[in-house]
């Protein structure tokens, strides 16, 4: 029976054992709370456990994309490349799990299917896919922003006789494309990383592109041991400087604040050229209005389009690969030889922006009325981002209200941490927080630490319930939208807006700007969790 005292009782249930769930467990334990983590996969690492596609790699530098909570950990772990590849990040996640003995409180191969708030006891009843139930005062969703793979509902998908793959659900065994005819559908970050590596093996590779994307060379390379040493010598300071950056990383690269419209054209070109050669996101950091002014943005966009025309030999292919939207509006991609790959004789580009992929057939697919035959089809078609994994769980709050209903017109949160009507539920890197617009490990750490402090505060003051106020939530949603509308982000179709998933309401989900957000979270806590209502036990 739900709520029966016989079911296991915890202070907190954490859903997900990626970097968010692992650190949450560590903090909860350290603060003396009992906790159980449930993870659908068979191991830790989340994103880096599931996304094993060829070429999968982080595009935040390794010295920054790592935990800072333990000085010993950050000193002893040695990164090998400027940008770590998926196997190295997964090794790191496993190392952390072993080093802090996390596995004993993680139940793997277990999906959470439902969570129901019991108003009588101020506790959640959490149900697993095996029908087991546990009770917890708090539920902390560490379910990930990019963990719900999105495969388009194409007719005939079951009929295809070859192999299909999704980049976000890649098999654990090596997939050998040697001599195969391969299709890749999708040219977001995952496709752009996978295509050059698959092209090395495949006999023939056809890339189906719906929207051309901007990509900048990553310029990945072995990590200079001297650089690693010097950062480690002042790691706390290095991390602190990164936390002050708008995206919580990249403090080593200069950020300009002047307008690209006022810049001397030669100086602007020189700056972009230098940043292109250095590689990475900082291409867009030279001038303050690339992200806010269309004319300024066009200067960076046309620079990248010129680069594409310079790299790709066939002018028609170069034209197709040249994006039309604002640069940075969809997430900027980093690559290794992406555009160069289209010079290979075994690689072909098919534009499906207007002449769509119609259906799969037993031998391949039909697009724009033309039949193509393949041995393998790779879906690099992304994720139901930010809300997908949360809404797959049947979450019921006060008076049985379903989160799915509450969010039917887009997610509504206070600070991306709490939801009115859903007491004692926290979302790590939830919609309404900077999350996917930052170095996510930094955002994750900030959320985990804020949640832990909040739970300690509640314990110290004898509170059993915390709930975001409706009004604070309304104001916060308004704020997130208002900030987004000062930028060019809402100007194109992107997963930030949910426009990649048919039927999903178009709402800009993340908050732009990390430092002011942290300030706001700290202020809320200092003011006794302003905007939340805290109450003492009503029973149980
Ligand atoms: P995840 O790593 O997604 O972990 C969530 C876990 O929750 C998953 O293991 C999932 O199985 C589990 N889960 C979900 N629902 C349930 C359920 N109902 N029951 C049980 N378990 C559940 N970020 C950056 O900052 N820089 C990068 O360069 C970068 N590169 C990326 C590359 C790829 C290919 C992708 C997909 C994402 C990338 N990200 C990057 C974002 C990345 O998701 C975060 O950096 C970070 O790994 C998120 O950690 P997390 O723990 O919040 O979520
Ligand atoms: P994505 O950015 O959403 O890209 C999906 C691609 O599939 C898009 O090109 C999309 O076209 C296309 N697509 C979707 N449905 C289609 C259909 N029915 N027909 C044809 N094309 C279709 O997904 P992603 O590449 O997996 O990346 C998601 C996010 O994960 C990234 O933005 C990033 O945050 C993270 N990531 C990071 C890295 C990294 O470098 N560190 C690597 C991978 C992922 P449209 O653009 O037209 O929708």
């Amino acid at each position: 029976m739900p709520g029966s005292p016989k079911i296991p009782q915890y202070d907190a249930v954490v859903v997900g054992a990626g970097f968010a769930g692992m650190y949450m467990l560590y903090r909860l334990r350290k603060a003396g709370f009992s906790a159980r983590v449930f993870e659908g996969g068979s191991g830790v690492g989340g994103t880096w456990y599931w996304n094993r596609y060829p070429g999968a790699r982080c595009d935040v530098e390794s010295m920054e994309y790592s935990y800072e909570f333990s000085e010993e950990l950050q000193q002893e772990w040695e990164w090998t490349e400027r940008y770590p590849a998926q196997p190295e990040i997964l090794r790191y996640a496993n190392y952390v799990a072993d080093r802090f003995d996390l596995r004993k409180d993680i139940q793997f191969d277990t999906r959470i299917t439902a969570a129901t708030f019991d108003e009588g006891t101020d506790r959640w009843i959490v149900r697993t896919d095996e029908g087991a139930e546990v009770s917890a005062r708090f539920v902390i969703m560490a379910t990930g922003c990019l963990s719900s793979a999105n495969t388009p509902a194409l007719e005939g998908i079951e009929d295809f006789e070859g192999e299909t793959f999704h980049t976000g659900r890649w098999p654990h065994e090596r997939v050998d494309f040697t001599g195969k005819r391969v299709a890749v559908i999708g040219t977001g970050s995952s496709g752009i990383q996978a295509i050059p590596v698959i092209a090395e093996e495949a006999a023939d590779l056809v890339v189906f592109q719906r929207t051309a994307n901007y990509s900048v060379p990553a310029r990945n390379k072995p990590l200079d041991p001297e650089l690693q040493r010097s950062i480690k010598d002042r790691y706390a300071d290095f991390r602190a400087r990164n936390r002050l950056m708008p995206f919580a990383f990249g403090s080593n690269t200069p950020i300009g604040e002047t307008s690209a419209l006022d810049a001397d054209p030669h100086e602007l070109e020189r700056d972009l050229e230098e940043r292109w050669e250095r590689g990475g996101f900082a291409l867009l950091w030279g001038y303050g209005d690339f992200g806010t002014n269309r004319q300024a943005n066009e200067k960076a966009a046309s620079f990248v389009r010129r680069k594409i025309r310079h790299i790709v030999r066939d002018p028609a292919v170069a034209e197709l690969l040249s994006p039309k939207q604002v640069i940075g509006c969809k997430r900027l991609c980093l690559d290794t030889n992406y555009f160069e790959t289209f010079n290979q004789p075994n690689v072909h580009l098919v534009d499906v922006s207007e002449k769509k992929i119609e259906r799969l057939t037993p031998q391949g697919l039909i697009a724009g009325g033309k039949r193509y035959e393949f041995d393998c089809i790779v879906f690099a078609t992304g994720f139901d981002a930010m809300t997908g994994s949360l809404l797959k769980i049947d979450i019921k709050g006060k008076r049985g209200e379903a989160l799915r209903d509450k969010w039917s017109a887009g997610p509504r949160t206070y600070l991306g941490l709490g939801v009115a009507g859903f007491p004692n539920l926290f979302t790590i890197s939830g919609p309404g927080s900077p999350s996917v617009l930052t170095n996510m490990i930094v955002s994750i750490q900030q959320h985990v630490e804020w949640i832990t402090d909040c739970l300690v505060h509640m314990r110290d003051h004898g509170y059993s319930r915390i709930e975001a106020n409706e009004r604070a939530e309304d104001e916060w949603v308004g704020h997130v939208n208002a900030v987004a509308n000062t930028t060019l982000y809402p100007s194109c179709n992107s997963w930030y807006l949910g426009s990649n998933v048919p039927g999903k309401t178009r709402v800009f989900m993340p908050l732009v700007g990390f430092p002011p957000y942290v300030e706001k979270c700290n202020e809320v806590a200092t003011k006794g969790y302003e905007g939340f209502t805290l109450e003492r036990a009503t029973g149980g």
Side-chain angles (χ1 to χ4, degrees):
M1 185 187 127
S4 146
K6 292 210 179 94
I7 68 175
Q9 311 271 321
Y10 301 101
D11 292 324
V13 155
V14 179
V15 188
F19 284 123
M22 290 165 69
Y23 185 40
M24 194 70 243
L25 172 61
Y26 172 85
R27 276 281 160 175
L28 285 167
R29 264 198 209 158
K30 229 175 148 59
F33 294 105
S34 62
R36 186 83 177 149
V37 181
F38 292 95
E39 167 55 57
S42 306
V44 296
T47 288
W48 307 102
Y49 170 87
W50 296 106
N51 289 263
R52 299 165 185 249
Y53 60 85
R57 185 180 292 284
C58 193
D59 53 17
V60 169
E61 298 195 19
S62 54
M63 295 306 288
E64 303 183 41
Y65 191 80
S66 48
Y67 288 125
E68 64 177 293
F69 67 83
S70 158
E71 181 59 18
E72 295 77 19
L73 171 67
Q74 68 179 5
Q75 289 298 334
E76 69 204 18
W77 183 264
E78 292 283 315
W79 293 104
T80 64
E81 292 182 273
R82 176 180 180 186
Y83 298 100
Q86 172 273 331
E88 187 167 18
I89 306 176
L90 188 59
R91 273 200 303 281
Y92 172 73
N94 278 287
Y95 178 81
V96 173
D98 292 336
R99 194 187 190 291
F100 299 102
D101 196 17
L102 298 179
R103 286 177 220 280
K104 65 178 185 218
D105 291 322
I106 306 177
Q107 187 169 323
F108 293 105
D109 301 305
T110 309
R111 290 222 149 253
I112 296 304
T113 55
T116 308
F117 187 67
D118 177 359
E119 293 188 62
T121 58
D122 287 346
R123 295 182 72 86
W124 285 90
I125 305 300
V126 180
R127 197 167 315 121
T128 74
D129 54 358
E130 287 167 343
E133 287 186 337
V134 300
S135 159
R137 174 74 71 210
F138 302 101
V139 169
I140 302 165
M141 293 297 178
T143 43
C145 292
L146 295 160
S147 53
S148 211
N150 177 42
T151 304
L154 290 167
E155 221 182 294
I157 220 160
E158 302 300 326
D159 303 337
F160 179 60
E161 288 166 0
E163 286 181 286
T164 58
F165 304 95
H166 190 290
T167 50
R169 285 287 176 278
W170 202 261
H172 287 209
E173 314 73 49
R174 180 177 133 69
V175 178
D176 187 359
F177 291 110
T178 309
K180 303 251 170 81
R181 297 163 305 166
V182 183
V184 173
I185 303 173
T187 51
S189 302
S190 302
I192 281 176
Q193 286 186 333
I195 285 161
V197 187
I198 295 176
E200 285 172 17
E201 280 183 2
D204 197 73
L205 170 62
V206 182
V207 175
F208 291 89
Q209 172 188 277
R210 189 164 70 183
T211 311
N213 233 328
Y214 294 96
S215 190
V216 174
R219 312 264 182 231
N220 186 41
K221 56 187 175 188
L223 185 60
D224 174 5
E226 271 314 301
L227 177 67
Q228 178 151 207
R229 185 69 270 140
S230 72
I231 290 176
K232 284 184 174 181
D233 285 346
R234 51 185 174 90
Y235 226 151
D237 173 50
F238 179 72
R239 303 277 200 192
R241 279 189 287 115
N242 283 322
R243 280 199 300 274
L244 296 176
M245 301 292 284
F247 305 105
F249 70 98
S251 65
N252 277 348
T253 314
I255 284 210
E257 282 178 4
T258 57
S259 167
L261 299 175
D262 297 337
D264 168 72
H266 299 293
E267 173 53 26
L268 182 117
E269 187 74 9
R270 193 203 53 74
D271 181 72
L272 286 168
E273 193 63 53
E274 197 185 289
R275 287 167 187 269
W276 178 270
E277 284 310 314
R278 208 179 307 142
F281 290 116
L283 181 87
L284 296 182
W285 295 357
Y287 295 89
D289 51 0
F290 279 155
T292 54
N293 179 299
R294 270 183 189 270
Q295 275 173 291
N297 185 283
E298 179 52 26
K299 292 186 185 292
S302 60
F303 173 85
V304 177
R305 288 197 289 266
R306 282 199 303 280
K307 287 288 180 193
I308 297 170
R309 285 197 287 272
H310 180 73
I311 297 168
V312 180
R313 284 198 288 270
D314 181 333
V317 176
E319 183 53 31
L320 267 186
L321 287 168
S322 295
K324 308 287 179 288
Q325 70 276 11
V326 152
I327 184 169
C329 170
K330 283 173 182 282
R331 188 180 184 276
L332 188 61
C333 303
L334 301 195
D335 70 275
T336 302
N337 296 331
Y338 175 62
F339 295 114
E340 289 82 348
T341 300
F342 291 89
N343 292 331
Q344 286 181 215
N346 64 331
V347 179
H348 319 279
L349 182 66
V350 174
D351 173 19
V352 289
S353 57
E354 279 165 21
K355 295 176 177 170
K356 311 261 179 239
I357 297 173
E358 291 154 37
R359 57 166 299 137
L360 265 62
T361 63
Q363 289 76 36
L365 59 79
I366 303 176
K370 189 171 169 195
R371 281 179 181 272
Y372 298 84
E373 295 193 355
F374 298 110
D375 302 306
C376 308
I377 298 178
V378 174
F379 289 95
T381 45
F383 301 88
D384 182 355
M386 304 207 73
T387 55
S389 289
L390 286 168
L391 296 183
K392 275 188 182 158
I393 305 172
D394 184 15
I395 302 174
K396 296 241 169 72
K398 281 187 345 195
R399 295 179 287 280
E401 185 187 13
L403 190 66
R404 285 174 191 151
D405 292 336
K406 168 152 181 159
W407 284 8
S408 60
R412 303 186 69 74
T413 71
Y414 178 41
L415 303 175
L417 277 160
V419 183
F422 296 79
N424 296 358
L425 175 80
F426 295 97
T427 50
I428 300 181
S429 62
S433 73
S435 58
V436 291
L437 297 179
T438 64
N439 171 356
M440 284 203 69
I441 297 216
V442 177
S443 283
I444 285 168
Q445 289 177 153
Q446 184 254 340
H447 267 191
V448 166
E449 286 159 21
W450 191 94
I451 293 167
T452 312
D453 290 348
C454 176
L455 266 48
V456 169
H457 174 87
M458 289 180 70
R459 183 176 59 194
D460 290 351
H461 293 82
Y463 292 118
S464 62
R465 186 194 280 210
I466 181 167
E467 182 187 348
N469 300 337
E470 201 98 37
R471 189 159 160 212
E473 184 176 271
D474 288 347
E475 284 173 5
W476 188 252
V477 172
H479 172 69
V480 173
N481 280 305
V483 175
N485 288 334
T486 64
T487 73
L488 295 171
Y489 278 119
S491 71
C492 71
N493 289 327
S494 70
W495 59 259
Y496 297 136
L497 282 155
S499 40
N500 62 325
V501 175
K504 195 164 170 176
T505 310
R506 205 172 186 276
V507 175
F508 193 79
M509 294 182 283
L511 172 72
V512 184
F514 185 69
Y517 172 77
V518 175
E519 231 173 83
K520 171 73 181 172
C521 289
N522 292 344
E523 184 190 307
V524 164
T526 310
K527 291 186 176 167
Y529 296 91
E530 187 179 52
F532 290 92
T533 299
L534 288 95
E535 290 176 54
R536 298 208 158 75
T538 52

